């Protein structure tokens, strides 16, 4: 190595290095798709259905098969109240129904007897009419005999004494005919009386049947009150409250009871209750997608069935509207009643409006000159910086929706190392996608 020469010689600058830009620009690539309108609010878990079970009748608690936390199915017997007076009343009413039914049979037998009597009376009318015809024929015969004998007496062929005998015979036949006619009238009256008895007997049957109906209604009423002594679960779920112990006197709800005997909550489906603020209320619709995460474990996100109910009413004191979402809560290992419990707290994420599918998203800080839905974005095209006008959409504070003016292939400037004008040559420090908005 020659003495006096430097250890390293400076390489001569090329024309390319002399023209290299001295300004660098940090850029990002827009994300495809618009921004969904989201509403994130605290949510409280409530049972889809819950009921406080009161007694309808007063008595002593004789049986209770469940306690707090017991899993129950719809129709399961949970408790029984001893009410022996209703049991006796049911027995008495059942006996009344039986007696009323026997009376119906008795009255129906009276109808049958009256109908038989009417038939017999109608037959006697026919017989009496036959007798009338016979008596009439006999009377006519005697009348003819009397007339012949009178003619013979006028001719002095017989004595008057014989004529007188024939007159007696005729009068007797005449009276016999009248008697037969009276028998017909009597038989007709018996028919009418028998038919009246039929009507009366049938009325007695209807009355007896009505008594059966009254007795049956009384029995059913007594049975209802007796059934009230059996407390059953209205649906499948879990017992959340127990107030009394075996042997306690239970007052019925209509006699002033203020504490329920038991409380049951449905657990297979829960409802998440959220209060939506005024700014988001116009965008809420039934079926909007939603998820829920419990505050105690944000790693677990529960999908919901979407917005199931909305109040369509804003509380004047808070300007918020109640919105509910149904969440399936199936049993799991170690949690036969599901992992969601009533009263749990967390956050619900509601998707109220989907973003424009043809839009792109860029960081909010990349947009300048915003006014009336318009703005500007600087991009690097080739190696030169350029300002382009854009049409803006939704803005969540982190990302902003660009409806027109940009594509997903553009390189949007976030910041530059020094102030530059449009057309300046810049060096790109590395393109990356815009951060995901929340």
């Amino acid at each position: 190595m020659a003495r006096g020469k430097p250890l390293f010689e400076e390489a001569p600058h090329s024309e390319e290095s002399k023209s290299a830009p001295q300004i660098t620009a940090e850029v990002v690539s827009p994300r495809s798709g618009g921004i969904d309108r989201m509403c994130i609010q605290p949510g409280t878990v409530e049972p889809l259905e819950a009921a406080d079970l009161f007694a309808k009748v007063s008595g002593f608690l004789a049986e209770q098969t469940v306690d707090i936390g017991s899993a129950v199915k719809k129709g399961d017997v949970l408790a029984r109240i001893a009410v022996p007076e209703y049991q006796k009343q049911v027995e008495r009413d059942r006996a009344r129904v039986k007696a009323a039914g026997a009376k119906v049979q008795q009255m129906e037998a009276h109808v049958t007897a009256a109908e038989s009597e009417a038939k017999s009376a109608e037959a006697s009318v026919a017989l009496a009419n036959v007798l009338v015809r016979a008596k009439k024929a006999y009377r006519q015969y005697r009348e003819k005999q009397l007339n012949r004998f009178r003619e013979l007496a006028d001719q002095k062929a017989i004595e008057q004494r014989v004529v007188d005998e024939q007159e007696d015979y005729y009068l007797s036949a005449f009276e016999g005919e009248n008697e037969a006619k009276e028998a017909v009238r009597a038989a007709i009256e018996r028919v009418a009386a028998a038919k009246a008895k039929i009507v009366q007997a049938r009325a007695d049957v209807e009355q007896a049947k009505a008594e059966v109906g009254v007795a049956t209604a009384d029995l059913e009423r007594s049975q209802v009150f007796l059934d009230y002594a059996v407390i059953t679960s209205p649906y499948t779920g879990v017992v959340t409250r127990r107030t009394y112990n075996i042997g306690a006197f239970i007052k019925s709800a209509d006699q002033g009871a203020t504490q329920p005997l038991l409380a049951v909550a449905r657990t297979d489906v829960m409802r998440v209750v959220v209060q939506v603020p005024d700014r988001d209320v116009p965008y809420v619709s039934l079926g909007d997608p939603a998820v829920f995460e419990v505050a105690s474990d944000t790693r677990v996100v529960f999908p919901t069935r979407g917005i199931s109910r909305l109040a369509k009413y804003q509380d004047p004191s808070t300007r918020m509207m109640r919105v509910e979402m149904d969440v399936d809560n199936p049993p799991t290992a170690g949690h036969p009643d599901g992992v969601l419990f009533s009263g749990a707290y967390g956050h619900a994420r509601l998707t109220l409006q989907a973003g424009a599918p043809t839009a792109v998203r860029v960081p909010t800080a990349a947009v300048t000159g915003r006014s009336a839905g318009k703005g500007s974005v600087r991009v690097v095209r080739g190696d030169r910086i350029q300002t382009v006008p854009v049409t803006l959409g939704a803005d969540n504070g982190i990302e902003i929706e660009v409806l027109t003016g940009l594509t997903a292939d553009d390189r949007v400037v976030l910041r530059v190392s020094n102030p530059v004008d449009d057309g300046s040559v810049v060096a790109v420090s590395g393109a990356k996608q815009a951060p995901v908005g929340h």
Side-chain angles (χ1 to χ4, degrees):
M1 182 178 295
R3 184 179 298 273
K5 289 186 178 181
L7 184 61
F8 297 101
E9 291 185 356
E10 184 176 354
H13 294 289
S14 66
E15 291 296 322
E16 183 179 350
S17 63
K18 289 180 181 179
S19 63
Q22 301 299 314
I23 301 174
T24 59
E26 182 182 351
V27 299
V28 296
S29 296
R31 297 174 60 85
S32 298
I35 296 176
D36 295 338
R37 186 181 184 93
M38 307 295 295
C39 177
I40 304 173
Q41 293 294 325
T44 302
V45 178
E46 295 181 1
L48 185 64
E49 295 177 297
D52 291 335
L53 307 182
F54 284 84
K56 178 65 175 177
V57 295
S58 298
F60 292 95
L61 184 58
E63 179 184 345
Q64 187 166 261
T65 59
V66 295
D67 208 328
I68 294 175
S70 297
V72 296
K73 294 182 179 180
K74 183 177 181 179
D76 283 354
V77 175
L78 309 183
R80 296 180 188 273
I81 299 173
V83 281
E85 60 271 27
Y86 284 121
Q87 181 64 48
K88 295 299 181 182
Q89 184 65 45
V90 167
E91 294 175 2
R92 286 195 297 269
D93 290 340
R94 188 174 288 119
R96 284 181 56 207
V97 170
K98 187 175 181 180
K103 187 176 180 180
V104 169
Q105 294 178 345
Q106 183 182 9
M107 293 301 103
E108 289 175 343
H110 288 177
V111 170
T112 302
E115 290 174 343
S116 298
E117 185 177 347
K119 290 180 180 179
S120 176
E122 290 172 349
S124 67
V125 169
L127 178 61
N129 283 323
V130 171
L131 290 176
V132 166
R133 290 193 294 272
K135 294 294 183 180
K136 181 179 180 180
Y138 184 69
R139 189 263 306 166
Q140 290 173 343
Y141 164 74
R142 283 300 175 186
E143 185 176 4
K144 291 177 181 179
Q145 284 291 90
L146 177 59
N147 290 333
R148 285 196 297 271
F149 277 94
R150 283 177 176 171
E151 291 175 357
L152 292 173
D154 290 341
Q155 298 173 4
K156 305 300 182 176
I158 59 173
E159 297 180 354
Q160 185 62 35
R161 176 179 57 80
V162 176
V163 174
D164 293 340
E165 289 177 353
Q166 292 299 320
E167 287 182 350
D168 289 340
Y169 292 151
Y170 169 73
L171 292 175
S172 176
F174 183 79
E175 291 299 328
E177 183 183 2
N178 289 338
E179 182 180 358
K181 290 180 179 179
E182 289 296 329
V184 170
R185 286 192 287 270
I188 292 174
E189 291 178 355
R190 287 198 297 274
V191 169
K195 289 182 177 180
K197 286 184 179 179
I198 292 174
V199 174
Q200 179 63 45
R202 287 175 177 170
D204 291 341
V205 169
E206 294 303 318
Q207 180 181 0
K209 288 181 178 179
E211 291 177 359
V212 170
V214 172
T216 301
D218 289 342
L219 173 60
E220 291 174 349
R221 180 176 182 275
S222 300
Q223 187 64 54
V224 166
F225 278 101
L226 186 61
D227 292 342
Y228 282 149
V230 180
I231 309 300
T232 60
S233 177
Y235 28 72
T236 299
V238 64
V239 177
T240 59
R241 182 176 180 180
R242 177 189 57 79
T243 309
Y244 299 98
N245 294 311
I246 300 296
F249 181 76
I250 309 299
K251 273 189 176 182
S252 65
D254 54 4
Q255 291 183 353
T258 58
Q259 298 294 325
L261 185 64
L262 296 162
V264 177
R266 184 177 169 184
T267 57
D268 60 328
V269 179
M270 308 297 284
R271 70 175 76 199
V272 175
V273 179
V274 173
Q275 300 296 331
V276 174
D278 179 76
R279 66 178 181 275
D280 291 325
V281 166
Y283 301 95
V284 179
S285 301
L286 291 175
D288 283 347
V291 296
F292 177 72
E293 58 183 30
V294 182
S296 60
D297 189 356
T298 56
R299 297 170 300 174
V300 181
V301 177
F302 296 90
T304 73
R305 299 179 181 178
I307 294 179
S308 305
R309 288 164 292 277
L310 49 91
K312 298 182 180 179
Y313 165 81
Q314 290 180 242
D315 187 339
S317 62
T318 62
R319 302 300 176 189
M320 304 183 89
M321 182 176 71
R322 179 185 176 104
V323 172
E324 297 181 356
M325 294 146 287
D326 293 344
V327 182
D328 291 324
N329 191 32
T332 60
H335 294 88
D337 301 316
V339 297
L340 285 176
F341 302 115
S342 178
Y345 174 82
H347 288 84
R349 188 188 305 272
L350 286 61
T351 303
L352 305 182
Q353 193 176 47
T358 58
V360 295
R361 307 191 302 273
V362 299
T364 301
V367 180
T368 60
R370 296 172 60 179
S371 177
K374 303 292 184 178
S376 300
V377 175
R378 293 199 294 179
V379 297
V380 176
R381 290 177 177 170
D383 59 356
R384 297 182 182 276
I385 197 165
Q386 181 182 350
T387 301
V388 296
V390 293
T391 304
L392 304 175
D395 182 3
N396 61 17
I398 299 175
E399 287 183 308
I400 190 168
E401 192 177 56
V402 178
L403 305 177
T404 61
L406 287 180
T407 69
D409 297 327
D410 281 321
R411 294 178 295 174
V412 176
V413 176
L414 279 181
R415 61 184 63 86
V416 291
S417 59
N418 293 301
V420 292
D421 297 324
D422 281 2
S424 300
V425 177
V426 295
V428 175
S429 64
K432 58 183 179 180
Q433 277 197 325
V436 177
H438 295 280

